[in-house]
CSV table of all heavy atoms in Angstrom, one decimal:
chain,number,residue,atom,x,y,z
G,733,VAL,N,70.4,0.1,-7.2
G,733,VAL,CA,70.0,-0.8,-6.2
G,733,VAL,C,71.2,-1.5,-5.4
G,733,VAL,O,71.1,-2.2,-4.6
G,733,VAL,CB,69.3,-2.0,-6.9
G,733,VAL,CG1,67.8,-1.7,-7.2
G,733,VAL,CG2,69.9,-2.5,-8.1
G,734,GLY,N,72.4,-1.1,-6.0
G,734,GLY,CA,73.6,-1.5,-5.1
G,734,GLY,C,74.1,-2.8,-5.7
G,734,GLY,O,73.5,-3.6,-6.3
G,735,VAL,N,75.4,-3.0,-5.2
G,735,VAL,CA,76.1,-4.1,-5.7
G,735,VAL,C,75.5,-5.5,-5.1
G,735,VAL,O,75.7,-6.6,-5.7
G,735,VAL,CB,77.6,-4.0,-5.4
G,735,VAL,CG1,77.9,-4.1,-3.9
G,735,VAL,CG2,78.5,-4.8,-6.2
G,736,SER,N,74.8,-5.4,-4.0
G,736,SER,CA,74.3,-6.6,-3.5
G,736,SER,C,73.3,-7.3,-4.5
G,736,SER,O,73.1,-8.5,-4.5
G,736,SER,CB,73.6,-6.3,-2.1
G,736,SER,OG,72.5,-5.5,-2.3
G,737,CYS,N,72.7,-6.4,-5.2
G,737,CYS,CA,71.7,-7.0,-6.2
G,737,CYS,C,72.5,-7.9,-7.3
G,737,CYS,O,72.1,-9.0,-7.7
G,737,CYS,CB,71.0,-5.9,-7.0
G,737,CYS,SG,69.4,-5.5,-6.3
G,738,VAL,N,73.6,-7.3,-7.7
G,738,VAL,CA,74.5,-8.0,-8.7
G,738,VAL,C,74.9,-9.3,-8.1
G,738,VAL,O,75.0,-10.4,-8.7
G,738,VAL,CB,75.7,-7.2,-9.0
G,738,VAL,CG1,76.6,-7.8,-10.0
G,738,VAL,CG2,75.3,-5.8,-9.6
G,739,ASN,N,75.2,-9.2,-6.8
G,739,ASN,CA,75.6,-10.5,-6.1
G,739,ASN,C,74.5,-11.6,-6.1
G,739,ASN,O,74.7,-12.8,-6.4
G,739,ASN,CB,76.1,-10.1,-4.6
G,739,ASN,CG,76.8,-11.2,-3.9
G,739,ASN,OD1,77.3,-12.2,-4.6
G,739,ASN,ND2,76.8,-11.1,-2.6
G,740,ALA,N,73.3,-11.0,-5.8
G,740,ALA,CA,72.1,-12.0,-5.7
G,740,ALA,C,71.9,-12.6,-7.1
G,740,ALA,O,71.5,-13.8,-7.1
G,740,ALA,CB,70.9,-11.2,-5.3
G,741,LEU,N,72.2,-11.9,-8.1
G,741,LEU,CA,71.9,-12.4,-9.5
G,741,LEU,C,73.0,-13.1,-10.2
G,741,LEU,O,73.1,-13.3,-11.4
G,741,LEU,CB,71.3,-11.2,-10.3
G,741,LEU,CG,70.0,-10.7,-9.7
G,741,LEU,CD1,69.6,-9.5,-10.5
G,741,LEU,CD2,69.0,-11.7,-9.6
G,742,SER,N,74.1,-13.4,-9.4
G,742,SER,CA,75.4,-14.0,-10.0
G,742,SER,C,75.5,-15.3,-9.4
G,742,SER,O,75.4,-15.6,-8.2
G,742,SER,CB,76.6,-13.2,-9.6
G,742,SER,OG,76.5,-11.9,-10.3
G,743,SER,N,75.7,-16.3,-10.3
G,743,SER,CA,76.0,-17.7,-9.7
G,743,SER,C,77.2,-17.7,-8.9
G,743,SER,O,77.4,-18.5,-8.0
G,743,SER,CB,76.0,-18.7,-10.9
G,743,SER,OG,76.8,-18.3,-11.9
G,744,LYS,N,78.2,-16.9,-9.3
G,744,LYS,CA,79.3,-16.7,-8.5
G,744,LYS,C,79.9,-15.3,-8.5
G,744,LYS,O,79.9,-14.6,-9.6
G,744,LYS,CB,80.5,-17.6,-9.0
G,744,LYS,CG,81.8,-17.7,-8.1
G,744,LYS,CD,82.8,-18.6,-8.6
G,744,LYS,CE,84.0,-18.5,-7.8
G,744,LYS,NZ,85.2,-19.4,-8.4
G,745,LEU,N,80.3,-14.8,-7.4
G,745,LEU,CA,81.0,-13.4,-7.4
G,745,LEU,C,82.2,-13.5,-6.4
G,745,LEU,O,82.0,-14.0,-5.4
G,745,LEU,CB,79.9,-12.4,-6.9
G,745,LEU,CG,80.3,-10.9,-6.9
G,745,LEU,CD1,79.2,-10.0,-7.2
G,745,LEU,CD2,81.0,-10.5,-5.5
G,746,THR,N,83.2,-12.9,-6.8
G,746,THR,CA,84.4,-12.8,-6.0
G,746,THR,C,84.8,-11.3,-5.8
G,746,THR,O,85.0,-10.6,-6.8
G,746,THR,CB,85.6,-13.4,-6.7
G,746,THR,OG1,85.2,-14.9,-7.0
G,746,THR,CG2,86.9,-13.5,-5.8
Side-chain angles (χ1 to χ4, degrees):
V733 283
V735 70
S736 62
C737 267
V738 178
N739 195 16
L741 300 176
S742 296
S743 49
K744 181 175 178 185
L745 184 146
T746 306

